[in-house]
Amino acid sequence: MSTTTEDDGTGAPPVRWGIIGAGYIARLVGEDIAASPASAVTAVAARSLGRAQDLAGHLGAPRAYGSYEELVLDPDVDVVYVTTIHPGHHAATLLALRAGKHVLVEKPIAMTARESREMLETAAAADLLCVEAMWLRLNPAVVRAQEIIAAGEIGRVRGIVADSSHVFPYDPAGRLFDPALGGGILLDGGVYLAALAWLLLGRPDEVAATATLAETSVDAAVAMWWGYADGRFAQLTASSISEAGSQAVVVGTEGWIRLAAPLYRTEELTVANAAGSRDESHPLPAGNGYGLQVAEIERCVRSGLRESPALPAAATSGVMEVLDEVRRQIGVLPPADPA
Ligand SMILES: NC(=O)c1ccc[n+]([C@@H]2O[C@H](COP(=O)([O-])OP(=O)(O)OC[C@H]3O[C@@H](n4cnc5c(N)ncnc54)[C@H](OP(=O)(O)O)[C@@H]3O)[C@@H](O)[C@H]2O)c1
């Protein structure tokens, strides 16, 4: 794999990326960045230089750093992509913003709404981008579902029933189960459900939640009910200990739309109403599927936008406020972060 530096046809120089963290998602999204004609991966940083060198070599990035601090000082980096485990997002993002870099940060943007607010406010004050990598909002099947809704094919939207579940082997020291590593399924698969409900329904008027906790006291399974004063609803379940379909159904007064599993990277939908039902296929871009997210950041950087219209800060911080409330109700929100 080599990072692309040839002209992308616009005559504009490539957007130059630095990647913080060299783990699972850094490699997948890094490959899609490197494959984009409008981008180049300049540098990779990891806590260990060897890991940074491995990923930099794989992506064809010319530089590797053994600390995040060194990467944000690199003058040839325009955008820092923060890929650490969730508890590292806040510090790495502030580090990059304070060094004058735009930021794309993995989901969830942070551990809490308070952290998220500080990151977004810092970016706004510095006239920089800070975008959460909530790629579900750019997903072609999700965009198509919004068009189908707008065309009135399922009548008025009454609610959404959505699930994100997959059995993960219990590992008390793993990032899904260790509280110190940001454990809990709500902030992992659950954030996609919240982002989808926010996208289709907006801020809820009431939230109720219950959870099954793992031995490590993080949420292993969580059920949320979002209520709206006009009677709409979101019924959302996320689990690391059971399988429940990992799909979403948008419920309308005259029909429904199903977004197929796995919801976080859905590519098929079914629409059903009195006229019958049909299936549609809306594949993610080639590569690892993250190309639309890469393109959105390229577009924002090149056009001088300081917020992505498709990945707006208000939705990011609104979702975090709801997740804080859910975590308060299920007893996993640290006392320092009351909702
Ligand atoms: N968009 C998506 O489809 C998607 C998919 C998976 C994950 N994610 C998100 O991406 C983020 C990373 O997930 P991942 O699966 O890539 O995680 P990962 O590979 O387990 O870890 C990512 C990086 O976090 C740092 N890290 C790991 N353990 C640490 C520890 N104990 N203390 C401090 N830092 C540690 C490491 O950075 P160094 O390399 O610097 O050591 C590691 O490379 C999460 O926030 C997750 O929600 C997104």
Side-chain angles (χ1 to χ4, degrees), residues 141-163:
V142 173
V143 171
R144 176 69 186 132
Q146 291 173 274
E147 290 169 4
I148 292 167
I149 292 165
E153 288 199 54
I154 63 166
R156 281 179 295 113
V157 171
R158 297 293 299 153
I160 168 172
V161 179
D163 172 69

Side-chain angles (χ1 to χ4, degrees), residues 34 37 40 81 89 107 117 122 129 139 143 154 159 179 206 231 236 241 248 251 289 293-294 298 317 332 338:
Y81 171 40
H89 291 181
K107 42 62 56 176
R117 249 189 321 272
T122 301
L129 283 167
N139 178 299
V143 171
I154 63 166
E206 56 176 321
L236 311 171
I241 51 173
V251 182
Q293 178 174 274
V294 174
E298 289 164 350
S317 52
V332 299

Side-chain angles (χ1 to χ4, degrees), residues 41-115:
V41 183
T42 304
V44 176
R47 292 172 302 162
S48 111
L49 181 59
R51 283 167 56 76
Q53 285 170 332
D54 283 351
L55 184 58
H58 177 70
L59 299 176
R63 283 170 227 162
Y65 298 111
S67 78
Y68 304 161
E69 286 77 6
E70 287 172 275
L71 180 135
V72 303
L73 295 177
D74 188 325
D76 295 327
V77 168
D78 304 311
V79 182
V80 171
Y81 171 40
V82 174
T83 74
T84 66
I85 54 173
H86 326 326
H89 291 181
H90 175 251
T93 297
L94 291 181
L95 189 71
L97 291 171
R98 287 173 181 153
K101 309 298 188 189
H102 301 297
V103 173
L104 172 68
V105 50
E106 263 308 331
K107 42 62 56 176
I109 183 171
M111 289 298 293
T112 64
R114 180 183 56 76
E115 285 185 354

